[in-house]
């Protein structure tokens, strides 16, 4: 069933279905009428020879240059081809599909003045799998994502390169094979296509979705480590967290109680200690704060998915075309900088738990570096190094891109958001965090296995939920008896986080929030 768009109620979940599962997209009847009405208004203004930015004038610093009707077509094409300045490696396919969908959804609202046939052509490209090649660098995030969105528009007019059926080909050839006629842009359409925040939001919504899954996996990793290190469950008692009242904290505490219910390793109290270190005891507070940040990002992104962010904007009922600044990416820039810092903290505390697992001074009697053959074997020694390296790398990416601004367009665009950099670095942070938490999962499973080997019944005393996690892990990665190529093992954990299979295995037994 197609995802219906009207510029008003597209959801995060629907974006993921289109960009990752290739679901088709269709305009609602309401959207069709709104687009037609706005375009008819634009045509009327052109006939009246009204002076309107981007229709009958140049762009940016050239806003005071009046363009004749005869030059309109050239103006729109030149806008696109001159703005295709993005550089670097191409964005992944699912980011491109998300950006195409979001651009279509914004145009479907009926405030952009684009022709229906132009919008429908872009939807047809998305549905038939014609994906413009968009280099990932080159957007200031105001006036929106000019360079990357211009690469989408470039393919729409049959120029540039696209990915089609797994190959990179000329756009005109892909369009011909798919039976789609390239568009000749009319007045206003170039600006309608390349002004907006859709590229940064496309990247960010994908990061957000994966972060929503990772926050649950982080709780699972903590629970497994708690099993291996004989954690004290009493710290997760709801009475403690109700007194503070922070939503994320209460959810994480509940998840940990659920995950550790029935454990014979992690007990309400332990005879040999009165409290755990912060990386176990304060997980509801740490993971919970990240959850609150993710919740904030979800709200902001959900709004932006349905935002009209090009310029100028058409208000037919009020008989106005207003030149504003909805293309400015600051709301998303701040959001994605906040999001990446929050994700980083999941990795930071995870690495510290891994350190406790491998360090014999901290590991509650586990063998040094989680190997039975210490000296001859190094075990998980360098796995912790790798986690520490990625946590440190995240600290570089965590510098907020939004605090920087480089004026552009002869100081007409004198404050920019850098929101696309915020989103791109959030994606880098996410990838590192997934890998770091994967390393903790590997180390925790090894620690649980070693408890059993030491006669402490580590595996047999697991809670049902953590047993489900452990059993799934053992379907893809065996306990490490002696040193192996660790990269090959750790990749398996990265993959089980990214593909959702570990989380799915656990949620067959319990429901996590």
């Amino acid at each position: 069933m197609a995802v219906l768009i009207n510029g008003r109620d597209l959801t995060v979940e629907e974006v993921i279905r289109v960009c990752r599962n290739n679901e088709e997209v269709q305009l609602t009847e309401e959207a069709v009428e709104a687009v037609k009405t706005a375009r008819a208004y634009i045509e009327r203004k052109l006939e009246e020879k009204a002076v309107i930015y981007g229709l009958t004038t140049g762009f940016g610093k050239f806003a005071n240059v009046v363009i004749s009707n005869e030059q309109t077509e050239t103006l729109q094409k030149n806008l696109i081809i001159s703005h295709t300045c993005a550089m670097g490696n191409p964005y992944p396919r699912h980011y491109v599909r998300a950006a195409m969908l979001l651009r279509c959804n914004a145009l479907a609202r009926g405030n952009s003045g684009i022709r229906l046939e132009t919008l429908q052509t872009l939807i047809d490209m998305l549905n038939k799998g014609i994906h413009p090649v968009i280099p990932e660098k080159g957007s200031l995030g105001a006036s929106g994502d000019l360079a990357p969105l211009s690469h989408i528009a470039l393919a729409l007019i049959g120029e540039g390169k696209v990915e089609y059926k797994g190959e990179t080909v000329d756009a005109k050839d892909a369009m011909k094979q798919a039976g789609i006629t390239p568009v000749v842009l009319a007045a206003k359409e170039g600006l309608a296509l390349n002004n907006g925040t859709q590229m940064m939001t496309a990247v960010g919504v994908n990061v957000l979705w994966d972060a929503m899954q990772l926050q649950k996996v982080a709780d699972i990793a903590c629970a497994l480590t708690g099993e291996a290190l004989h954690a004290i469950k009493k710290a997760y008692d709801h009475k403690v967290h109700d007194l503070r009242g922070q939503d994320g904290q209460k959810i994480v505490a509940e998840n940990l109680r659920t995950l550790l219910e029935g454990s014979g390793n992690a007990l309400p109290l332990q005879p040999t200690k009165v409290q755990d270190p912060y990386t176990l005891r304060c997980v509801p507070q740490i993971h919970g704060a990240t959850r609150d940040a993710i919740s904030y990002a979800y709200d902001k992104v959900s709004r932006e998915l349905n935002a009209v962010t090009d310029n100028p904007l058409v208000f037919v009922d009020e008989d106005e075309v207003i030149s504003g600044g909805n293309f400015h990416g600051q709301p998303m820039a701040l959001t994605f900088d906040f999001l990446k810092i929050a994700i980083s903290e999941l990795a930071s505390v995870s690495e510290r738990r891994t350190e406790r697992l491998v360090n014999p001074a901290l590991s509650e009697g586990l063998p040094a570096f989680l190997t039975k053959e210490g000296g001859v074997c190094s075990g998980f020694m360098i796995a912790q190094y790798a986690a520490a390296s990625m946590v440190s790398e995240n600290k570089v990416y965590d510098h907020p891109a939004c605090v920087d601004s480089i004026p552009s367009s002869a100081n007409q665009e004198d404050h920019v958001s850098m929101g696309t950099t915020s989103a791109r670095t959030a994606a880098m942070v996410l990838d590192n965090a997934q890998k770091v938490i994967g390393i903790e999962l590997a180390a925790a499973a090894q620690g649980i296995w070693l408890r059993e080997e030491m006669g402490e019944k580590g595996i047999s005393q697991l809670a049902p939920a953590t047993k489900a996690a452990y059993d799934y892990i053992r379907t893809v990665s065996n306990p490490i008896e002696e040193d192996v190529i660790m990269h090959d093992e750790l990749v398996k954990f990265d993959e089980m986080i990214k593909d959702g299979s570990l989380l799915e295995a656990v949620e067959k037994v319990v429901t996590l929030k």
Side-chain angles (χ1 to χ4, degrees), residues 442 470 472-480 489 492-493 496:
Y470 182 86
Y472 177 76
I473 285 168
R474 290 299 171 231
T475 67
V476 295
S477 176
N478 294 323
I480 297 174
E489 293 304 309
K492 296 174 183 176
F493 288 85
M496 74 174 69

Side-chain angles (χ1 to χ4, degrees), residues 128-373:
K128 293 189 177 183
I130 298 176
H131 307 120
V133 174
I134 309 174
E136 61 187 0
K137 299 180 182 181
S139 177
L140 294 175
S143 299
D145 289 310
L146 287 172
L149 294 181
S150 292
H151 282 269
I152 293 178
L154 187 68
L156 183 68
I157 64 176
E159 305 251 1
K161 298 288 186 181
V162 299
E163 180 266 321
Y164 181 58
K165 295 183 177 180
E167 296 183 1
T168 300
V169 298
D170 289 336
K172 61 181 179 182
D173 293 336
M175 299 276 266
K176 184 177 180 180
Q177 288 184 52
I180 300 174
T181 302
V183 169
V184 177
L185 297 175
K188 177 65 171 73
E189 293 192 316
L191 271 180
L193 288 162
N194 77 354
N195 251 217
T197 60
Q198 282 69 41
M199 195 71 245
M200 69 181 79
T201 309
V203 176
V205 70
N206 274 281
V207 174
L208 171 64
W209 181 259
D210 288 335
M212 290 165 62
Q213 316 314 311
L214 187 63
Q215 64 188 358
K216 294 183 181 181
V217 176
D219 292 349
I220 293 169
C222 173
L224 277 175
T225 297
E227 294 272 17
L229 294 181
H230 296 157
I232 300 173
K233 294 193 298 182
K234 199 64 179 173
Y236 310 141
D237 191 304
H238 75 89
K239 297 190 294 294
V240 173
H241 306 286
D242 289 346
L243 279 178
R244 195 172 199 182
Q246 296 290 353
D247 291 339
Q249 177 178 331
K250 291 196 291 184
I251 289 170
V252 173
E254 183 179 348
N255 277 351
L256 290 172
R257 292 195 301 272
T258 297
L259 287 162
L260 293 171
E261 179 66 35
S263 171
N265 300 311
L267 299 172
L269 296 172
Q270 294 285 0
T272 58
K273 57 181 175 178
V274 296
Q275 62 181 21
D276 280 317
Y278 289 178
T279 50
L280 287 172
R281 184 168 24 126
C282 298
V283 169
Q285 291 82 357
I286 299 167
H287 286 195
T290 289
R291 278 180 172 265
D292 289 338
I294 291 171
S295 179
Y296 171 85
Y298 187 90
D299 175 68
K300 291 298 183 182
V301 169
S302 295
R303 296 172 189 272
E304 197 72 4
L305 298 183
N306 295 290
V308 183
T309 55
D310 54 287
N311 181 57
L313 295 174
V314 179
F315 299 90
V316 177
D317 292 342
E318 293 83 4
D319 189 18
E320 285 188 292
V321 180
I322 301 176
S323 185
N326 278 359
F327 49 66
H328 200 291
Q330 195 73 359
M332 290 297 94
L334 284 164
T335 296
F336 297 141
D337 279 336
F338 189 21
L339 178 62
K340 72 187 182 187
I341 291 168
I343 296 169
S344 266
E345 284 301 282
L346 293 180
S348 179
V349 69
S350 173
E351 182 276 329
R352 288 293 79 198
R353 291 194 295 265
T354 298
E355 164 65 10
R356 301 198 75 83
L357 286 162
V358 303
N359 187 336
L362 306 173
S363 66
E364 304 286 339
L366 287 171
F369 304 110
L370 301 176
T371 178
K372 293 190 290 184
E373 303 293 336

Side-chain angles (χ1 to χ4, degrees), residues 416-433:
V416 299
S417 74
M418 300 299 181
T420 314
T421 303
S422 301
R424 289 178 52 238
T425 48
M428 298 176 194
V429 166
L430 172 74
D431 180 61
N432 279 342

